[in-house]
Amino acid sequence: MKRIVFLTGAGMSVESGFKTFRGNDGLWEDYPVEQIATHEGWLANPTLVNNFYNRLRKKLYAAEPNEGHLLIKELEKDYDVTVITQNVDNLHEKAGTEKIIHLHGELTKVCSSKDPDDHRYIVELPADHCEVEPGQLAGDGSLLRPFIVFFGEAVPMIEPAAELVAQADMLVIIGTSLVVYPAAGLVQYTRPGTPIYLIDPDDTPTRASGRLTHIKKGASEGMKEFIKLL
Ligand code: NAD
């Protein structure tokens, strides 16, 4: 079976009601990125950060995958599909995709603020109890924080992601401005000659432009067009 690797970003979930990052002057869902997505922001005001992700988590539990997510799932019938996502939502999971790597964490989960990658303290919050209370502690006694990779923190999943990209027969990039590293660098791991498709309604800077087919559409319409090309 041919291996298709999808690399998805915020644009993948726009049609499910989530905003992108960069289109909004450094705001994410109306908040300055420095406040809610950096380590300094967390240290300055953990309650504000937890409240932000509490709200987003509630919104996520009410959201549905869009046709783009569902079409990716459907390709599993004929292809070996892996999704590498920069998104923290769980809409690829809700669509049923089996192999998913989250580069930047998962909104449904919370973790220790002393060591966010200590798996003993990573907990998934159920939909009916999905808020972190101010001062709530993780199993190791540190403040409970969202399981989100903040800017400036390590991205432990980048190595398995790079290996998958290196094995891909095709790479499909959907809805990412490819400016956030190290994720943006993944494109460079494709083998020479591997076809690369980009589904994004806007022009996106990428250094792989020589062998890139740009489908200039949103995620759902773009996926339909990509499937026609297969
Ligand atoms: P970005 O905001 O930098 O870029 C979004 C891209 O999506 C843009 O190129 C835009 O043209 C495109 N886009 C807009 N509407 C689209 C549509 N309907 N279909 C397809 N593409 C569309 O996002 P990024 O590159 O993913 O980087 C932002 C970071 O912020 C991510 O790493 C992620 O961790 C985080 N983030 C996550 C979510 C989420 O989980 N849903 C949402 C916003 C931001």
Side-chain angles (χ1 to χ4, degrees):
M1 252 191 193
K2 279 199 167 173
R3 284 173 284 213
I4 307 185
V5 172
F6 287 88
L7 174 61
T8 66
M12 183 80 227
S13 300
V14 162
E15 293 160 33
S16 295
F18 289 92
K19 292 182 184 163
T20 62
F21 228 20
R22 293 193 190 264
N24 301 305
D25 303 327
L27 299 180
W28 182 20
E29 302 276 340
D30 305 325
Y31 276 77
V33 169
E34 297 73 33
Q35 261 179 28
I36 47 86
T38 64
H39 192 65
E40 293 71 29
W42 163 257
L43 291 177
N45 196 342
T47 302
L48 181 139
V49 174
N50 267 326
N51 286 345
F52 172 81
Y53 290 98
N54 282 345
R55 265 194 304 277
L56 208 56
R57 198 176 294 117
K58 264 192 165 171
K59 180 174 165 179
L60 177 60
Y61 278 121
E64 292 299 334
N66 62 56
E67 209 179 346
H69 292 106
L70 298 173
L71 288 172
I72 292 175
K73 163 67 189 170
E74 232 173 272
L75 283 176
E76 285 177 3
K77 286 185 203 142
D78 301 308
Y79 294 89
D80 179 351
V81 173
T82 307
V83 172
I84 301 168
T85 187
Q86 299 176 85
N87 292 343
V88 297
D89 64 51
N90 65 352
L91 297 175
H92 286 297
E93 281 87 349
K94 272 195 182 172
T97 293
E98 275 162 31
K99 289 192 272 179
I100 305 167
I101 289 190
H102 281 274
L103 292 175
H104 295 161
E106 292 170 74
L107 182 57
T108 55
K109 297 179 180 171
V110 290
C111 61
S112 147
S113 51
K114 192 167 145 217
D115 181 1
D117 297 314
D118 189 330
H119 281 264
R120 289 174 298 174
Y121 307 118
I122 298 173
V123 179
E124 182 152 347
L125 297 179
D128 59 355
H129 218 257
C130 71
E131 287 178 278
V132 177
E133 303 294 337
Q136 200 177 334
L137 303 181
D140 63 356
S142 69
L143 273 184
L144 201 57
R145 65 165 259 187
F147 183 53
I148 301 285
V149 177
F150 294 142
F151 283 102
E153 293 184 332
V155 181
M157 294 311 285
I158 199 72
E159 278 177 30
E163 272 170 39
L164 282 160
V165 171
Q167 290 161 11
D169 296 307
M170 226 180 278
L171 177 69
V172 187
I173 304 163
I174 307 182
T176 166
S177 55
L178 285 177
V179 292
V180 178
Y181 277 82
L186 281 174
V187 180
Q188 310 304 324
Y189 286 87
T190 49
R191 285 172 298 180
T194 306
I196 303 175
Y197 295 84
L198 170 69
I199 299 175
D200 196 302
D202 288 337
D203 288 315
T204 297
T206 168
R207 279 183 273 154
S209 49
R211 55 199 162 96
L212 182 134
T213 306
H214 188 178
I215 301 173
K216 220 170 163 176
K217 293 195 168 159
S220 298
E221 288 308 309
M223 271 303 294
K224 284 186 208 160
E225 196 159 317
F226 168 67
I227 288 167
K228 278 192 218 150
L229 295 174
L230 281 172

